[in-house]
């Protein structure tokens, strides 16, 4: 499943090809993905110039003066910019044709999604789509408010938000209303690096330890995005699969193996229905 770093890498990969381009037309090969595709996508997007590509949580927004196309990659979605005559592949559901620009021939932005858990929706100018309305701050946006959240992500923020919460800290950290984009993999890795047991009650952790945790979240996501730079070519290759990152994971997926810090066997259990791995010795 694309996590925040893959979505951010998709955004960075699309940016030079799509930003500033004018939409020539929209072709829908089916009327819906996870949800019906609103009429506005076909009626309002053609003729518009895409002046920015933004990311909020794992959503991508193609901004135009008429509104924003709101995309989510779901479990298996990918976006690629291709020559306009590239033959359709199985599961290519949406085509956004781009007019030629200075020195660049006409191209098409294609959305492919075998399992169709992705979506293409519409956000009118000045509005916030309901899916984006209650999201917490971006973990990589220390100024916070630039992403539409009212507070900035930090250890002090996590500490304040967690008071009175008796949920396990891992569940708290994966709550999109608390902070966006920390999926199962990154929650496990961040808690390992911060030395915090995923089972500990969120409300019982000190401010100092939340500062370590916030730093770990930021460092892990930043590192993953930097590694993603090597997969950018996949987004313009006609036959390349979308690039997900080889990751150096210290905890996730290593249940039963030796802790890389102390050598003891890593524990594995379900926490909030999600598989979790941690070291009972290094994480308290
Ligand atoms: Zn250990």
């Amino acid at each position: 499943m694309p996590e925040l770093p893959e979505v951010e890498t998709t955004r960075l990969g699309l940016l030079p090809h799509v930003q500033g381009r004018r939409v020539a037309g929209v072709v829908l090969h089916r009327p819906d993905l996870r949800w019906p595709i609103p009429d506005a996508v076909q009626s309002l997007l053609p003729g518009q110039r895409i002046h920015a590509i933004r990311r909020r949580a794992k959503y991508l927004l193609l901004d135009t003066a008429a509104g924003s196309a709101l995309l989510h990659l779901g479990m298996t979605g990918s976006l690629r910019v291709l020559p306009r005559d590239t033959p359709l592949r199985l599961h290519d559901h949406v085509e956004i044709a781009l007019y030629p620009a200075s020195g660049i021939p006409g191209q098409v932005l294609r959305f492919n999604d075998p399992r169709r858990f992705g979506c293409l929706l519409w956000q009118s100018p000045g509005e916030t789509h309901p899916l984006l309305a209650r999201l917490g701050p971006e973990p990589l946006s220390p100024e916070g408010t630039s992403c539409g959240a009212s507070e900035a992500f930090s250890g002090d923020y996590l500490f304040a938000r967690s008071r009175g919460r008796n949920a396990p800290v891992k569940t708290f950290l994966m709550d999109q209303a608390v902070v966006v984009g920390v999926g199962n993999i990154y929650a496990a890795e961040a808690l390992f690096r911060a030395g915090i047991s995923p089972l500990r009650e969120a409300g019982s952790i000190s401010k100092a330890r939340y500062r370590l945790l916030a730093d770990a979240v930021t460092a892990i996501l930043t590192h993953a995005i930097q590694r993603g730079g090597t997969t950018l070519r996949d987004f313009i290759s006609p036959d390349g699969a979308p690039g997900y990152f080889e990751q150096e994971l210290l905890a996730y997926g290593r249940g039963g193996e030796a802790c890389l810090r102390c050598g003891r066997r890593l524990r594995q259990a379900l926490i909030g229905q999600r598989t979790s791995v941690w070291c009972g010795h290094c994480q308290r």
Side-chain angles (χ1 to χ4, degrees):
M1 179 184 331
E3 296 274 357
L4 185 144
E6 284 87 5
V7 179
E8 178 64 9
T9 300
T10 297
R11 189 184 77 81
L12 295 171
L14 292 177
L15 208 53
H17 303 285
V18 173
Q19 185 167 257
R21 303 288 292 276
R22 200 170 287 279
V23 175
V26 175
V27 178
L28 306 180
H29 294 293
R30 52 178 301 126
D32 61 343
L33 293 164
R34 182 172 182 178
W35 297 296
I37 298 169
D39 293 340
V41 172
Q42 261 186 318
S43 62
L44 298 181
L45 197 52
Q48 291 295 320
R49 197 174 73 89
I50 298 169
H51 60 75
I53 308 177
R54 286 181 297 140
R55 180 186 57 74
R56 179 70 176 106
K58 296 204 296 186
Y59 294 92
L60 290 171
L61 295 112
L62 307 183
D63 288 336
T64 76
S68 303
L70 178 63
L71 284 148
H72 195 288
L73 302 177
M75 308 274 292
T76 54
S78 61
L79 284 163
R80 291 175 310 148
V81 178
L82 302 164
R84 282 179 80 160
D85 57 1
T86 307
L88 275 185
R89 291 192 317 176
L90 193 63
H91 310 302
D92 278 345
H93 301 310
V94 177
E95 298 185 86
I96 298 174
L98 305 169
Y99 280 118
S102 51
I104 311 166
Q107 287 173 309
V108 63
L109 175 62
R110 283 206 182 133
F111 184 64
N112 184 286
D113 189 3
R115 293 187 63 185
R116 296 201 310 274
F117 282 107
C119 68
L120 172 54
L121 299 168
W122 189 257
Q123 177 174 281
S124 299
E127 291 185 0
T128 300
H129 194 280
L131 287 171
L132 307 185
R134 279 180 294 280
L135 296 174
E138 292 286 333
L140 298 179
S141 174
E143 65 279 16
T145 48
S146 68
C147 61
S150 54
E151 287 167 282
F153 177 72
S154 69
D156 291 15
Y157 162 79
L158 287 177
F159 175 78
R161 275 302 292 262
S162 62
R163 293 308 92 182
R165 299 274 295 252
N166 53 17
V169 62
K170 180 159 177 275
T171 306
F172 170 75
L173 191 61
M174 290 175 65
D175 180 348
Q176 300 297 294
V178 172
V179 56
V180 301
V182 184
N184 201 30
I185 297 172
Y186 297 110
E189 294 298 302
L191 288 163
F192 180 83
R193 289 178 199 222
I196 298 172
S197 165
L199 291 167
R200 183 166 288 281
E201 277 187 20
S204 74
I205 295 170
S206 69
K207 189 180 283 187
R209 300 185 82 203
Y210 269 123
R211 286 178 177 163
L212 291 175
L213 183 59
D215 287 349
V217 166
T218 305
I220 288 163
L221 292 174
T222 301
H223 181 66
I225 290 168
Q226 284 165 352
R227 286 185 63 98
T230 59
T231 66
L232 286 185
R233 60 190 164 76
D234 289 343
F235 297 97
I236 51 169
S237 150
D239 48 21
Y244 299 132
F245 312 146
E246 253 180 73
Q247 308 190 54
E248 305 129 348
L249 299 175
L250 305 180
Y252 182 85
R254 300 193 65 248
E257 295 177 35
C259 171
L260 293 171
R261 212 168 266 162
C262 73
R264 292 174 175 82
R265 188 184 292 266
L266 292 172
R267 295 186 187 174
Q268 177 167 318
L270 288 178
I271 301 174
Q273 330 294 340
R274 304 299 300 271
T275 300
S276 305
V277 176
W278 74 99
C279 176
H281 177 74
C282 298
Q283 294 175 254
R284 299 299 178 94

